[in-house]
PDB file of all heavy atoms in Angstrom:
ATOM      1  N   ALA A 159     152.343 132.197 120.645  1.00  0.00           N
ATOM      2  CA  ALA A 159     152.299 131.605 121.982  1.00  0.00           C
ATOM      3  C   ALA A 159     152.986 130.238 122.023  1.00  0.00           C
ATOM      4  O   ALA A 159     153.472 129.810 123.075  1.00  0.00           O
ATOM      5  CB  ALA A 159     150.850 131.477 122.446  1.00  0.00           C
ATOM      6  N   ALA A 160     153.026 129.554 120.873  1.00  0.00           N
ATOM      7  CA  ALA A 160     153.640 128.226 120.814  1.00  0.00           C
ATOM      8  C   ALA A 160     155.157 128.296 120.653  1.00  0.00           C
ATOM      9  O   ALA A 160     155.846 127.276 120.784  1.00  0.00           O
ATOM     10  CB  ALA A 160     153.034 127.425 119.665  1.00  0.00           C
ATOM     11  N   MET A 161     155.677 129.501 120.375  1.00  0.00           N
ATOM     12  CA  MET A 161     157.121 129.658 120.208  1.00  0.00           C
ATOM     13  C   MET A 161     157.834 129.556 121.559  1.00  0.00           C
ATOM     14  O   MET A 161     157.221 129.755 122.606  1.00  0.00           O
ATOM     15  CB  MET A 161     157.435 131.024 119.590  1.00  0.00           C
ATOM     16  CG  MET A 161     156.977 131.205 118.170  1.00  0.00           C
ATOM     17  SD  MET A 161     157.390 132.871 117.563  1.00  0.00           S
ATOM     18  CE  MET A 161     156.860 132.743 115.864  1.00  0.00           C
ATOM     19  N   PRO A 162     159.144 129.242 121.543  1.00  0.00           N
ATOM     20  CA  PRO A 162     159.915 129.266 122.789  1.00  0.00           C
ATOM     21  C   PRO A 162     159.794 130.642 123.455  1.00  0.00           C
ATOM     22  O   PRO A 162     159.716 131.667 122.760  1.00  0.00           O
ATOM     23  CB  PRO A 162     161.351 129.000 122.316  1.00  0.00           C
ATOM     24  CG  PRO A 162     161.186 128.257 121.037  1.00  0.00           C
ATOM     25  CD  PRO A 162     159.946 128.818 120.395  1.00  0.00           C
ATOM     26  N   GLY A 163     159.758 130.672 124.769  1.00  0.00           N
ATOM     27  CA  GLY A 163     159.482 131.883 125.530  1.00  0.00           C
ATOM     28  C   GLY A 163     160.085 133.173 125.019  1.00  0.00           C
ATOM     29  O   GLY A 163     159.371 134.117 124.676  1.00  0.00           O
ATOM     30  N   ILE A 164     161.421 133.230 124.920  1.00  0.00           N
ATOM     31  CA  ILE A 164     162.088 134.471 124.549  1.00  0.00           C
ATOM     32  C   ILE A 164     161.771 134.862 123.111  1.00  0.00           C
ATOM     33  O   ILE A 164     161.621 136.053 122.793  1.00  0.00           O
ATOM     34  CB  ILE A 164     163.618 134.350 124.747  1.00  0.00           C
ATOM     35  CG1 ILE A 164     164.297 135.706 124.493  1.00  0.00           C
ATOM     36  CG2 ILE A 164     164.181 133.245 123.873  1.00  0.00           C
ATOM     37  CD1 ILE A 164     163.888 136.779 125.463  1.00  0.00           C
ATOM     38  N   VAL A 165     161.642 133.872 122.213  1.00  0.00           N
ATOM     39  CA  VAL A 165     161.340 134.155 120.809  1.00  0.00           C
ATOM     40  C   VAL A 165     159.940 134.758 120.687  1.00  0.00           C
ATOM     41  O   VAL A 165     159.731 135.768 120.010  1.00  0.00           O
ATOM     42  CB  VAL A 165     161.441 132.881 119.951  1.00  0.00           C
ATOM     43  CG1 VAL A 165     161.058 133.190 118.504  1.00  0.00           C
ATOM     44  CG2 VAL A 165     162.848 132.313 120.020  1.00  0.00           C
ATOM     45  N   GLY A 166     158.974 134.125 121.351  1.00  0.00           N
ATOM     46  CA  GLY A 166     157.612 134.636 121.323  1.00  0.00           C
ATOM     47  C   GLY A 166     157.511 136.041 121.887  1.00  0.00           C
ATOM     48  O   GLY A 166     156.791 136.897 121.348  1.00  0.00           O
ATOM     49  N   GLN A 167     158.258 136.313 122.962  1.00  0.00           N
ATOM     50  CA  GLN A 167     158.244 137.643 123.565  1.00  0.00           C
ATOM     51  C   GLN A 167     158.833 138.688 122.627  1.00  0.00           C
ATOM     52  O   GLN A 167     158.311 139.799 122.525  1.00  0.00           O
ATOM     53  CB  GLN A 167     159.020 137.624 124.885  1.00  0.00           C
ATOM     54  CG  GLN A 167     158.323 136.864 125.994  1.00  0.00           C
ATOM     55  CD  GLN A 167     159.110 136.905 127.293  1.00  0.00           C
ATOM     56  OE1 GLN A 167     159.849 137.845 127.565  1.00  0.00           O
ATOM     57  NE2 GLN A 167     158.961 135.860 128.094  1.00  0.00           N
ATOM     58  N   LEU A 168     159.910 138.331 121.951  1.00  0.00           N
ATOM     59  CA  LEU A 168     160.539 139.280 121.023  1.00  0.00           C
ATOM     60  C   LEU A 168     159.603 139.619 119.861  1.00  0.00           C
ATOM     61  O   LEU A 168     159.493 140.784 119.462  1.00  0.00           O
ATOM     62  CB  LEU A 168     161.848 138.698 120.491  1.00  0.00           C
ATOM     63  CG  LEU A 168     163.008 138.628 121.488  1.00  0.00           C
ATOM     64  CD1 LEU A 168     164.192 137.893 120.879  1.00  0.00           C
ATOM     65  CD2 LEU A 168     163.427 140.035 121.926  1.00  0.00           C
ATOM     66  N   VAL A 169     158.931 138.601 119.323  1.00  0.00           N
ATOM     67  CA  VAL A 169     157.986 138.837 118.228  1.00  0.00           C
ATOM     68  C   VAL A 169     156.835 139.709 118.704  1.00  0.00           C
ATOM     69  O   VAL A 169     156.407 140.649 118.020  1.00  0.00           O
ATOM     70  CB  VAL A 169     157.460 137.501 117.661  1.00  0.00           C
ATOM     71  CG1 VAL A 169     156.379 137.762 116.625  1.00  0.00           C
ATOM     72  CG2 VAL A 169     158.592 136.694 117.050  1.00  0.00           C
ATOM     73  N   MET A 170     156.309 139.417 119.915  1.00  0.00           N
ATOM     74  CA  MET A 170     155.187 140.195 120.448  1.00  0.00           C
ATOM     75  C   MET A 170     155.607 141.646 120.706  1.00  0.00           C
ATOM     76  O   MET A 170     154.859 142.585 120.403  1.00  0.00           O
ATOM     77  CB  MET A 170     154.692 139.552 121.738  1.00  0.00           C
ATOM     78  CG  MET A 170     153.445 140.234 122.317  1.00  0.00           C
ATOM     79  SD  MET A 170     152.037 140.200 121.179  1.00  0.00           S
ATOM     80  CE  MET A 170     151.667 138.443 121.143  1.00  0.00           C
ATOM     81  N   MET A 171     156.806 141.843 121.246  1.00  0.00           N
ATOM     82  CA  MET A 171     157.273 143.205 121.514  1.00  0.00           C
ATOM     83  C   MET A 171     157.468 143.986 120.207  1.00  0.00           C
ATOM     84  O   MET A 171     157.257 145.194 120.156  1.00  0.00           O
ATOM     85  CB  MET A 171     158.589 143.183 122.298  1.00  0.00           C
ATOM     86  CG  MET A 171     158.464 142.685 123.728  1.00  0.00           C
ATOM     87  SD  MET A 171     157.275 143.613 124.724  1.00  0.00           S
ATOM     88  CE  MET A 171     155.883 142.471 124.722  1.00  0.00           C
ATOM     89  N   TRP A 172     157.863 143.277 119.157  1.00  0.00           N
ATOM     90  CA  TRP A 172     158.014 143.924 117.842  1.00  0.00           C
ATOM     91  C   TRP A 172     156.658 144.420 117.348  1.00  0.00           C
ATOM     92  O   TRP A 172     156.544 145.536 116.839  1.00  0.00           O
ATOM     93  CB  TRP A 172     158.626 142.927 116.860  1.00  0.00           C
ATOM     94  CG  TRP A 172     158.545 143.360 115.428  1.00  0.00           C
ATOM     95  CD1 TRP A 172     159.166 144.440 114.853  1.00  0.00           C
ATOM     96  CD2 TRP A 172     157.786 142.730 114.383  1.00  0.00           C
ATOM     97  NE1 TRP A 172     158.841 144.518 113.509  1.00  0.00           N
ATOM     98  CE2 TRP A 172     158.008 143.481 113.197  1.00  0.00           C
ATOM     99  CE3 TRP A 172     156.977 141.606 114.323  1.00  0.00           C
ATOM    100  CZ2 TRP A 172     157.414 143.130 111.980  1.00  0.00           C
ATOM    101  CZ3 TRP A 172     156.400 141.253 113.123  1.00  0.00           C
ATOM    102  CH2 TRP A 172     156.618 142.023 111.967  1.00  0.00           C
ATOM    103  N   CYS A 173     155.642 143.592 117.506  1.00  0.00           N
ATOM    104  CA  CYS A 173     154.293 143.998 117.082  1.00  0.00           C
ATOM    105  C   CYS A 173     153.800 145.174 117.920  1.00  0.00           C
ATOM    106  O   CYS A 173     153.263 146.149 117.388  1.00  0.00           O
ATOM    107  CB  CYS A 173     153.315 142.824 117.210  1.00  0.00           C
ATOM    108  SG  CYS A 173     153.671 141.430 116.114  1.00  0.00           S
ATOM    109  N   VAL A 174     153.986 145.082 119.230  1.00  0.00           N
ATOM    110  CA  VAL A 174     153.492 146.117 120.143  1.00  0.00           C
ATOM    111  C   VAL A 174     154.180 147.460 119.888  1.00  0.00           C
ATOM    112  O   VAL A 174     153.560 148.517 119.997  1.00  0.00           O
ATOM    113  CB  VAL A 174     153.718 145.665 121.608  1.00  0.00           C
ATOM    114  CG1 VAL A 174     153.489 146.828 122.574  1.00  0.00           C
ATOM    115  CG2 VAL A 174     152.778 144.514 121.951  1.00  0.00           C
TER     116      VAL A 174
END
Side-chain angles (χ1 to χ4, degrees):
M161 293 179 176
I164 186 64
V165 177
Q167 290 182 28
L168 288 174
V169 174
M170 184 60 67
M171 291 303 103
W172 167 65
C173 295
V174 168

